[in-house]
């Protein structure tokens, strides 16, 4: 299933994308898409809904974050060997785990607001794994059983902030630094998260092109690893790293985002995002 939320910010309705790619309204079935709906029981119930029985949504409504209830926004750094190389950093021996503030989360087509004093704003297309079942000390062979589905994430980063200290959160958690969506695609459609093409264009020029098969640590390894150190709850999201082609890695002169730039990005089967960079107001 492809689940989503659509409408004006703060007034989103639950939706479902049918086999023809058409948005249909789910509000007569559930009040929202959240931890209960993405639990195994909730997904089983939703799987019985016939998309053709739902009213179609006309026009081109805004897509919001595809579900509510994101308690933790966990991120993995340097999870593609060629990205680590372009960053001039060693390949990690275990997943590099940091957190993005939940206040950074925004819709897939909402503007990215350059924060105050930003000088090195950058992009990162990533695969997000959404937890559907409480996960604690999960074994590698069972790890994907705890995943409800997947979505596109743009791990927008301010490199000057990020690299000012050994802690990356400062450059990863500012407002609008975490566009998520447009859809939450359940695991019945994405049976193997390690063979997904991903890409990002800046102002129409291809900057990133990769595939999740080149991850250093697979989604299963990441879920298992993180669950050894924190309990993952339904609705938590883990964004799993980016392939090469970020602005910081362009030699000899890095490229930084500026107001007016447009990022378009996507992952096969998970939909596309599009954001315009705007300056901080005032």
């Amino acid at each position: 299933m492809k689940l989503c939320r659509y409408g004006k910010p703060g007034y989103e309705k639950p939706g479902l994308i049918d086999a023809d790619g058409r948005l249909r309204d789910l509000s007569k079935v559930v009040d929202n898409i959240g931890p209960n709906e993405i639990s195994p029981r909730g997904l089983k119930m939703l799987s019985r809904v016939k998309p053709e029985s739902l009213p179609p949504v006309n026009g081109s409504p805004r897509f919001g974050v595809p579900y509510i209830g994101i308690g933790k926004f966990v991120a993995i750094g340097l999870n593609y060997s060629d990205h680590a190389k372009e960053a001039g950093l060693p390949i990690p021996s275990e997943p590099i785990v940091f957190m993005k503030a939940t206040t950074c989360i925004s819709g897939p087509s909402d503007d990215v607001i350059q924060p105050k004093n930003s000088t090195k704003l950058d992009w990162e297309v990533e695969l997000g794994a959404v937890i559907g079942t409480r996960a604690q000390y999960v074994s590698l062979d069972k790890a994907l059983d705890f995943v409800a589905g997947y979505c596109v994430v743009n791990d927008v980063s301010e490199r000057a902030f990020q690299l000012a200290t050994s802690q990356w959160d400062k450059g990863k958690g500012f407002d609008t630094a975490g566009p998520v969506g447009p859809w939450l695609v359940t695991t019945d459609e994405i049976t193997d998260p390690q063979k997904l093409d991903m890409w990002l264009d800046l102002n129409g020029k291809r900057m990133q092109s990769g595939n999740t098969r080149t991850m250093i640590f697979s989604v299963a390894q990441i879920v298992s690893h993180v669950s050894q150190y924190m309990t993952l709850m339904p609705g938590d999201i883990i964004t799993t790293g980016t392939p090469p082609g970020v602005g910081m890695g362009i030699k000899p002169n890095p490229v930084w985002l500026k107001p007016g730039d447009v990022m378009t990005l996507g992952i096969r089967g998970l939909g596309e995002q599009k954001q315009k960079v705007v300056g901080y107001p005032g």
Side-chain angles (χ1 to χ4, degrees), residues 74-77 79-80 94-97 127 129 131 138 140 143-144 147 194 215-229 232 237-241:
V74 185
I76 306 299
N79 195 32
Y80 291 71
E94 68 172 66
I96 296 174
V97 180
L127 172 68
I131 301 300
V138 171
L140 177 61
L144 294 185
V147 176
Q194 302 307 144
M215 284 183 180
I216 299 170
F217 304 103
S218 68
V219 174
Q221 288 174 301
I222 290 167
V223 171
S224 176
H225 176 82
V226 174
S227 77
Q228 309 302 310
Y229 306 102
L232 295 168
I237 184 171
I238 306 175
T239 190
T240 57

Side-chain angles (χ1 to χ4, degrees), residues 22-39:
R22 190 170 190 181
L23 172 61
R24 293 183 178 266
D25 182 73
L26 256 180
S27 58
K28 295 291 180 63
V29 179
V30 292
D31 292 331
N32 218 324
I33 305 295
N36 288 334
E37 289 73 27
I38 66 174
S39 69

Side-chain angles (χ1 to χ4, degrees), residues 80 125 127 152 192-200 206 208-213 243 265-271:
Y80 291 71
V125 59
L127 172 68
V152 183
D192 183 358
Q194 302 307 144
K195 58 178 184 181
L196 302 176
D197 292 325
M198 53 205 309
W199 55 273
L200 181 144
R206 182 60 45 93
Q208 289 188 277
S209 182
N211 188 288
T212 55
R213 66 174 174 268
L265 56 148
I267 298 177
R268 182 172 59 84
L270 302 182

Side-chain angles (χ1 to χ4, degrees), residues 156-175:
V156 186
S157 306
E158 213 303 331
R159 303 300 187 187
F161 297 176
Q162 176 189 352
L163 301 177
T165 71
S166 62
Q167 304 302 306
W168 290 3
D169 305 53
K170 177 180 174 181
K172 299 281 194 170
F174 57 90
D175 292 353

Side-chain angles (χ1 to χ4, degrees), residues 30-268:
V30 292
D31 292 331
N32 218 324
I33 305 295
N36 288 334
E37 289 73 27
I38 66 174
S39 69
R41 181 178 179 181
L43 291 177
K44 185 176 181 179
M45 181 273 291
L46 288 174
S47 70
R48 300 191 188 105
V49 176
K50 296 181 179 180
E52 60 272 17
S53 70
L54 303 172
V57 179
N58 297 319
S60 301
R62 166 191 173 271
F63 282 97
V65 180
Y67 68 101
I68 61 171
I70 301 176
K72 291 193 288 296
F73 196 170
V74 185
I76 306 299
L78 301 178
N79 195 32
Y80 291 71
S81 57
D82 34 13
H83 172 54
K85 183 178 179 180
E86 73 174 355
L89 296 169
I91 293 175
S93 58
E94 68 172 66
I96 296 174
V97 180
F98 62 95
M99 307 294 284
K100 288 176 74 75
T102 54
T103 49
C104 84
I105 298 169
S106 58
S109 59
D110 296 342
D111 291 341
V112 168
I113 302 172
Q114 185 171 21
K116 286 184 177 181
N117 305 312
S118 165
T119 58
K120 297 181 178 180
L121 193 64
D122 207 346
W123 59 84
E124 293 190 7
V125 59
E126 302 198 5
L127 172 68
V130 177
I131 301 300
T133 303
R134 184 180 184 273
Q136 184 182 46
Y137 298 114
V138 171
S139 64
L140 177 61
D141 61 324
K142 299 292 186 182
L144 294 185
D145 295 343
F146 293 80
V147 176
Y150 303 95
C151 56
V152 183
V153 174
N154 189 355
D155 179 20
V156 186
S157 306
E158 213 303 331
R159 303 300 187 187
F161 297 176
Q162 176 189 352
L163 301 177
T165 71
S166 62
Q167 304 302 306
W168 290 3
D169 305 53
K170 177 180 174 181
K172 299 281 194 170
F174 57 90
D175 292 353
T176 72
V180 176
W183 313 322
L184 167 60
V185 183
T186 52
T187 56
D188 59 310
E189 291 199 21
I190 305 295
T191 56
D192 183 358
Q194 302 307 144
K195 58 178 184 181
L196 302 176
D197 292 325
M198 53 205 309
W199 55 273
L200 181 144
D201 292 349
L202 175 62
N203 300 326
K205 180 181 178 181
R206 182 60 45 93
M207 307 302 288
Q208 289 188 277
S209 182
N211 188 288
T212 55
R213 66 174 174 268
T214 65
M215 284 183 180
I216 299 170
F217 304 103
S218 68
V219 174
Q221 288 174 301
I222 290 167
V223 171
S224 176
H225 176 82
V226 174
S227 77
Q228 309 302 310
Y229 306 102
M230 64 183 82
T231 300
L232 295 168
M233 300 298 292
D236 288 350
I237 184 171
I238 306 175
T239 190
T240 57
T242 197
V246 300
M248 178 177 64
I250 296 174
K251 303 294 191 295
N253 300 310
V255 174
W256 308 117
L257 294 167
K258 60 186 183 303
D261 284 342
V262 175
M263 293 174 283
T264 309
L265 56 148
I267 298 177
R268 182 172 59 84

